[in-house]
Amino acid sequence: MGIEFRGVTKKYPDGTVAVDDLNLTIEDGTITVFVGPSGCGKTTSLRMINRMVEPTSGTILLDGADVRDSDAALLRRGIGYVIQHAGLFPHRTVLSNVATVPLLSGWDKRKARERAAELLETVGLPAELGKRYPAQLSGGQQQRVGVARALAADSPVLLMDEPFSAVDPVVREGLQDELLRLQSQLGKTIVFVTHDIDEAVRLGDKVAVLRVGGRLAQYGTPADVLRHPVDDFVAGFVGKDRGYRGLSFLSAGDVLVEDVPTVRVGGAPGESADWRLAVNDEGEPRGWLPPSSTVDGELSESDLVAGGSLYQQGTPIRGALDAALSSPASLGVVVDADGKAIGVVTARQVLDVIENHPQGVTR
Amino acid sequence: MIGEIVDWFTSSANWQGADGVPTRVLQHLGYVLLALVLASVIAVPIGLYVGHTGRGGVLLVGSGNVIRALPTLGLVTFLFLLFTDSDVAAIIGLVVLAIPPILAGTYAGLQAVDRAVVDAAEGMGMRGGQRLWQIEVPIALPLVLGGVRNAVLQLVATAAVAAYVGLGGLGRYLLDGLAILDYGEVAAGAILTALLAIVLDIVLATIQRALVPRGVRLAEAGTKKEVEA
Amino acid sequence: MSFLDELGQYLGSANNREQIVDTLAEHCYLALLPLVLGIVLAIAIGWLGRAWPRARGVILVLANLVYTIPSLALFVVIPSLIGTKMLDSINVVVALTLYTAALLVRPVLDALDAVPPAVIASATAMGYRPARRFLTVELPLAVPVLAAGVRVASVSNISLVSVGALIGVGGLGVLFTDGFQREYFSPIVVGIVLTLLLALVVDLLLVLLRRLLTPWDRTPAPVKTEVAA
């Protein structure tokens, strides 16, 4: 279900312009991220889609129909909505929180609860949590419940207003991965608001950068925005690391993966003048054995130097470069989808691929 | 002194008839409950309206403060001269004084509901009434009942003062005892009035605890823990 | 005779005017002395509650209990509790001091709890002894929260003093009993208006005092910065 903004403006009575003549088409089944500094009107734009805010002028079309032609409450029941602190109802259990919209829409109780239980599983929460109250959950769990609640009506459109910005960075990354995994299964039209450009680039199929005063500065794929910012504002907003971030969109398919001498943890390593990669019985990397080290008897993990980050074959080249740079042996470990080590790359080789890429760092 | 009080309480004459303890206690309780019901009927809807819509909050708080400053004795004597009927004057006075605490509690209760929760309810497609009754009221309940408790304390105290214009109830013992310098009766009246206030407060506190949704109680305990830590 | 004529006649009498001024002065004394004493008492109790956390629960239950006792009941039993005469103004002062302290104990404890532990720790680290730290660091920082409670207590005291008229010491309350006995509106209306005005004036003074005591808590005027053309 596509969403289209046509000349949408929101002016408040005190004269502040929150959104200024926004024209934008959001494609069906994609994640579109509104990103920008505070005061850029990104949240207002989002909230105009489900009529939490009414535009001063202009039209918003949802699947070709003006949103103002539907009853506001009915419209909202058909659009998933997730907000910053989740906004869970503190006096209701997790399960009845998730069942809110089905019950509002007149489903029978049993069916609504079954659906809610199913959704808890979908967002990766154990079924026992259903009986708890929001106050008994961690921040990350609450946010998952918020997502489940928004999915309950099985609406094709999901609005997410800074849903992950109140949780700590590690949890946030988990939630982002979870959202991408869900989206690969569900294929919803998701509009996502954030002030964090990293989050925008990570999640968005398309990114709309807004500037203060509610004007659209640039709209395109993350790679586009990073590689070709239209002006100083966008360049400044996407930050100094944009060259490096752009590597997230470059495939590492051409990088030569070289063999590396390995030793098995638990085996007898012998001696060697080279760095050797230690693997376990499953072939998963465990660390590095430095050159000329002497080990009495069996190799144990305590003899090893901790390894760097791992690069999974088939993912963007940013990971390959990071693996090479973080490795004590200056050799980035490449693993397959099962986590088995299949070889190494050097930073030099990775940089060669980047420099020889026909379009430079673009998708 | 203690002897006089014991004598008063053990005299069977004080437990019978129109001037007996059971009658006076029931009278006092009756005035309090009647005024509480009338005041709630007026104050709760106004508090809900103002709290839900956010319109008129400043006016509500301001007028509440003015009524709180009204001297109860002045109000009751004024109303008596106006209506020349002690029951009518006293009940009107009691209702007027019970409104501000209930209003303030209801309003504060709705104000205290997390904006994100109300926003989520609206965003999921709840209509105004559904939002109010399913979300805002249950969460606001503890503070609403807190307002009711304050109102009841105010009512028990004022009903005693209203004995001055001829109202029945426990205030009679206080004022009649003072008039004939019977300190046993005065002290007994004071003890009974205080006991009534304390018992009513405990009863309401129990109801309050029972009515607060479990999830809200857990959330409160959570915040308290964070503050203490 | 219209009410305004009656009022003009009432205020025209020098005797009445003198009575009004006298009762107003007495009202100020009866309301404000207990306010000051109650604040001091509440702070002392609050210090005790901080120094001896086990006493906290008991302190809060007692404060709530005192606050629950209806005013007239407390007024009439004070003489027999402390051995004063029935018509002594000390009775009203003691009763209102108890109310003020009971009302303020919780705000004092909350306010002291709200002082950031880092501030207390750094004061201790700089060599403050506990008593001095309490008086010069913790207490001033508690003023903003405390001030809200003091304002409520002052309004409540000013309104409650009138009840004392029923035991012969009531400031402006005497105008109410007077008007009631003579079936005369003017003194009652004058008494009510003066009570409300007094509450308003004292409240404004308290707001002013709080601002003076907490210069760090004001929103600073925007510091002018050079703006490039």
Side-chain angles (χ1 to χ4, degrees), chain A residues 77 92 95-113 115-116 152-153, chain B residues 126 130 134:
Chain A
R77 287 175 203 171
R92 293 189 175 174
L95 209 62
S96 59
N97 259 286
V98 177
T100 304
V101 176
L103 288 174
L104 280 176
S105 308
W107 293 26
D108 78 50
K109 260 202 169 143
R110 239 194 57 202
K111 201 176 138 208
R113 295 183 80 79
R115 169 83 180 138
Chain B
M126 286 195 178
Q130 292 171 322
Q134 294 182 26

Side-chain angles (χ1 to χ4, degrees), chain B residues 1 66 69-74 77-78 80-82 153 156-157 160-161 164-165 174 178 183 186 190 193-194 197-198 201, chain C residues 64-65 68 70 72-73 76-77 80 86 155 159 162-163 165-167 176-177 180-181 183-185 188-189 192 195-196 199:
Chain B
M1 182 72 217
V66 172
L70 265 186
T72 56
L73 185 63
T77 48
F78 178 82
F80 179 77
L81 289 193
L82 207 60
L153 291 187
V156 173
V161 172
Y164 181 68
V165 299
L174 294 166
L178 278 177
Y183 292 116
V186 171
T193 321
I198 292 165
D201 197 50
Chain C
N64 197 39
L65 193 70
T68 309
L72 186 55
V76 297
V77 294
S80 42
M86 202 47 140
V155 170
S159 146
S162 321
V163 173
L166 301 182
I167 55 164
F176 304 143
T177 48
F180 175 75
Q181 280 152 12
E183 297 191 26
Y184 198 22
F185 271 108
I188 297 180
V189 172
I192 291 177
T195 309
L196 293 180

Side-chain angles (χ1 to χ4, degrees), chain C residues 88-106:
Chain C
D88 199 329
S89 64
I90 295 289
N91 301 330
V92 172
V93 171
V94 170
L96 291 182
T97 301
L98 285 178
Y99 277 132
T100 306
L103 187 76
L104 288 180
V105 162
R106 185 179 285 275

Side-chain angles (χ1 to χ4, degrees), chain A residues 47 50 52 71-74 76-77 79 81 83 85-92 97 100-101 104 133 135-136 149, chain B residues 114-127 130-131 134-136 138-139 213-216 218-219:
Chain A
R47 287 164 67 94
N50 67 352
M52 297 286 280
D71 171 84
L74 293 180
R76 290 172 191 151
R77 287 175 203 171
I79 297 178
Y81 184 56
I83 56 176
H85 293 277
L88 299 182
F89 304 148
H91 60 307
R92 293 189 175 174
N97 259 286
T100 304
V101 176
L104 280 176
Y133 287 94
Q136 297 167 311
R149 188 168 69 168
Chain B
D114 184 356
R115 283 353 271 169
V117 169
V118 181
D119 187 76
E122 194 184 356
M124 281 190 295
M126 286 195 178
R127 297 184 193 283
Q130 292 171 322
R131 215 159 66 226
Q134 294 182 26
I135 307 300
E136 292 175 292
I139 297 174
R214 202 171 113 77
V216 174
L218 287 167

Side-chain angles (χ1 to χ4, degrees), chain C residues 122-198:
Chain C
S122 60
T124 313
M126 283 184 288
Y128 278 90
R129 290 182 208 284
R132 182 172 180 158
R133 187 188 68 204
F134 181 79
L135 289 174
T136 59
V137 179
E138 298 180 52
L139 203 53
L141 287 176
V143 167
V145 180
L146 194 53
V150 171
R151 287 176 64 188
V152 173
S154 101
V155 170
S156 150
N157 276 2
I158 290 171
S159 146
L160 277 178
V161 166
S162 321
V163 173
L166 301 182
I167 55 164
V169 199
L172 293 166
V174 173
L175 299 180
F176 304 143
T177 48
D178 228 34
F180 175 75
Q181 280 152 12
R182 291 156 56 192
E183 297 191 26
Y184 198 22
F185 271 108
S186 295
I188 297 180
V189 172
V190 168
I192 291 177
V193 170
L194 286 179
T195 309
L196 293 180
L197 279 179
L198 183 62

